[in-house]
Amino acid sequence: MAQQTTSMSKEMGINGHGGHLYMQTNEIKNVVIHYHRSANGTLTEVERVATGGAGSGTFKPISGQESAPNSFEGAGSVILTPDHRFLFATSGGDNSVSSFAVGEQGRLKLIDTKPTGNAVKGKSGTAKSLAYSPSKNMLYVVHSFGPDHIRLMSVADDGKLTPRMEGYTANTPDKPNRVPTQAVLSPDEKFLLVGTTFDLPIAISGTYPDGSPILWVPGPDGKLRSVASNAPDPDGIVIFRVNANGTLGPPSFQDGGGGSPFYIAFLHNRPDTFIVGYAVGDGVSMCRIDEDGRIGVGKVVPIDTKRGKIAELCWLSVSPDDRLLYGTVFGYSNVITFHIDGPEIRVAKDPACPIVEGDGTFRGLCGDVSSGPSDNWVSPDGAFFYQIYGNASKLVGYATKPDGSLEEVTSVAIPYNCPEGLVGFDEAA
């Protein structure tokens, strides 16, 4: 049983309904860990269920590092269907997807594991992000490396998976090695939005002798250009129209508003509005999508970057009332919160909680030593926020406060560097 910490302030009391939380380890023998989440936010490990697929372990394909957190530069590798009947998880090491039945008390039963259709080239595959269309019974699977970045799988009524032949790319004619991060369906399921981080991955651009990444490379004109997407070319968010049968139309490459539009999070109560988190742009912005799939991007709201540029603000969670936004800053080992007030976003707490220290072996793009916080999740009642710190081997849970601050209430031990993906649901009241 994983280590559990239960210290909390007295005023917290019993908050919320409790529920279930799921994370994949991304170990070579990949498993999904199921935690029970108590009404006071603490976590207790219930089970570990094998996906039947292989993760990348501590190896990071995106950069070629033998051991580093955030293996695939992605998000959404573990998702639930809206009715909580099924859970889907990627296994990036062998490019496969697994489906599980979610039973009583949140317990998982493996139903099926199928290859995405992309061959594994080298030490690991890169399947990493999932989006599911309930009306089309279709899974969309994003890979870090293309050219077929997006593959499709049909989902049967019993949860069985059928890989399809279609493949779609986030590349452009002059950018054959782009790295998408995440796929998100618009709430009306008419459009698939894909974020990106690099136009050329570090595994190709390489590193300097001291191990720091090469982030500027010669362009076709001989001048240096950033390897970050959308910087300067305004084409970092890729929009696909979803056809009636669940297949995708031709891509539209649109301005993401800042460098590396990594994460896309739709608001719960405004289905045409979403927030973008920028890995290189060092902030967030509020965006809208119209009925034709055109997006409009608001101004970037910056975070404090006195610790160094390229903070890598990469993961977002929106509170259920759309008033608070939680952003995970990979390079700084912290979480920053924002207030959402109508069309405006402003920083609430920077940082929102104390830094969780890693073991000192990993540095972000800003050069700071980092514990590599990655995927996060906020409970559906808004009472608790959970954060993976891969280089610290911890999954930490916090009680949320109205001012945006976070107070730690639980911590469980997780495998070193490799875990990713968080999703869960509340128990009935």
Side-chain angles (χ1 to χ4, degrees):
M1 193 67 70
Q3 176 186 353
Q4 180 176 316
T5 303
T6 59
S7 62
M8 68 187 75
S9 57
K10 293 181 180 178
E11 71 268 21
M12 215 167 291
I14 299 300
N15 200 355
H17 305 138
H20 304 276
L21 183 63
Y22 305 91
M23 179 194 76
Q24 68 156 298
T25 64
N26 185 36
E27 295 168 298
I28 299 300
K29 184 178 180 181
N30 195 16
V31 303
V32 173
I33 304 179
H34 166 206
Y35 300 98
H36 179 262
R37 180 172 53 85
S38 69
N40 62 18
T42 56
L43 296 176
T44 303
E45 184 175 317
V46 175
E47 58 183 344
R48 298 190 178 203
V49 184
T51 65
S56 70
T58 59
F59 177 67
K60 188 169 182 173
I62 197 74
S63 61
Q65 292 166 281
E66 286 300 322
S67 185
N70 185 22
S71 298
F72 304 108
E73 300 279 354
S77 68
V78 182
I79 64 172
L80 285 160
T81 55
D83 59 9
H84 307 151
R85 285 185 61 211
F86 301 115
L87 179 143
F88 305 111
T90 60
S91 288
D94 64 2
N95 283 346
S96 64
V97 175
S98 299
S99 64
F100 299 83
V102 181
E104 291 187 6
Q105 300 179 327
R107 289 186 173 272
L108 300 179
K109 180 180 180 181
L110 180 65
I111 298 172
D112 202 4
T113 302
K114 290 289 174 58
T116 66
N118 281 7
V120 174
K121 299 177 182 178
K123 191 171 181 178
S124 173
T126 61
K128 63 175 176 184
S129 179
L130 295 168
Y132 174 66
S133 170
S135 66
K136 308 290 193 301
N137 293 320
M138 191 74 75
L139 270 176
Y140 303 91
V141 190
V142 177
H143 302 71
S144 299
F145 298 159
D148 290 332
H149 292 107
I150 303 169
R151 300 301 298 256
L152 276 56
M153 288 187 176
S154 298
V155 182
D157 289 343
D158 61 358
K160 292 280 188 178
L161 304 174
T162 301
R164 297 177 59 99
M165 296 299 295
E166 295 88 353
Y168 305 88
T169 190
N171 289 337
T172 66
D174 61 341
K175 297 172 184 174
N177 295 290
R178 301 190 89 192
V179 180
T181 53
Q182 174 202 27
V184 178
L185 278 167
S186 58
D188 60 11
E189 300 182 50
K190 290 182 179 179
F191 300 99
L192 186 76
L193 290 73
V194 179
T196 62
T197 183
F198 294 123
D199 285 337
L200 189 71
I202 293 168
I204 293 177
S205 65
T207 57
Y208 293 107
D210 67 355
S212 60
I214 297 172
L215 300 177
W216 292 82
V217 298
D221 58 1
K223 295 180 180 179
L224 290 179
R225 61 179 292 130
S226 169
V227 300
S229 62
N230 215 88
D233 299 337
D235 59 1
I237 291 182
V238 190
I239 311 290
F240 297 87
R241 183 180 290 276
V242 180
N243 299 321
N245 63 357
T247 60
L248 302 178
S252 169
F253 297 88
Q254 302 191 38
D255 186 0
S260 296
F262 186 104
Y263 200 99
I264 298 168
F266 274 88
L267 298 187
H268 303 289
N269 304 300
R270 285 186 269 168
D272 65 345
T273 303
F274 60 94
I275 312 296
V276 174
Y278 300 99
V280 172
D282 295 333
V284 301
S285 69
M286 185 177 293
C287 311
R288 295 185 68 186
I289 184 168
D290 67 18
E291 59 184 13
D292 296 317
R294 295 185 297 258
I295 62 174
V297 181
K299 65 179 181 180
V300 176
V301 179
I303 63 172
D304 186 342
T305 55
K306 64 177 177 288
R307 291 173 57 180
K309 289 284 189 177
I310 310 186
E312 299 175 87
L313 194 160
C314 294
W315 291 268
L316 302 176
S317 285
V318 179
S319 65
D321 62 4
D322 289 341
R323 297 185 64 183
L324 280 171
L325 174 71
Y326 303 90
T328 299
V329 187
F330 182 71
Y332 290 177
S333 303
N334 67 17
V335 177
I336 293 173
T337 54
F338 302 81
H339 280 303
I340 302 174
D341 185 8
E344 300 294 326
I345 304 177
R346 66 182 187 276
V347 174
K349 290 291 182 179
D350 183 358
C353 56
I355 288 173
V356 173
E357 300 287 350
D359 67 358
T361 63
F362 177 73
R363 292 182 182 271
L365 295 180
C366 64
D368 271 11
V369 173
S370 171
S371 61
S374 56
D375 296 81
N376 64 38
W377 182 76
V378 66
S379 62
D381 60 9
F384 301 101
F385 173 83
Y386 296 87
Q387 178 66 62
I388 294 173
Y389 296 92
N391 189 252
S393 300
K394 288 181 180 180
L395 170 60
V396 178
Y398 302 89
T400 63
K401 304 295 182 181
D403 66 354
S405 59
L406 298 169
E407 183 173 355
E408 182 175 335
V409 297
T410 191
S411 176
V412 293
I414 61 176
Y416 177 65
N417 269 349
C418 55
E420 60 177 37
L422 280 180
V423 72
F425 63 94
D426 275 353
E427 293 171 333

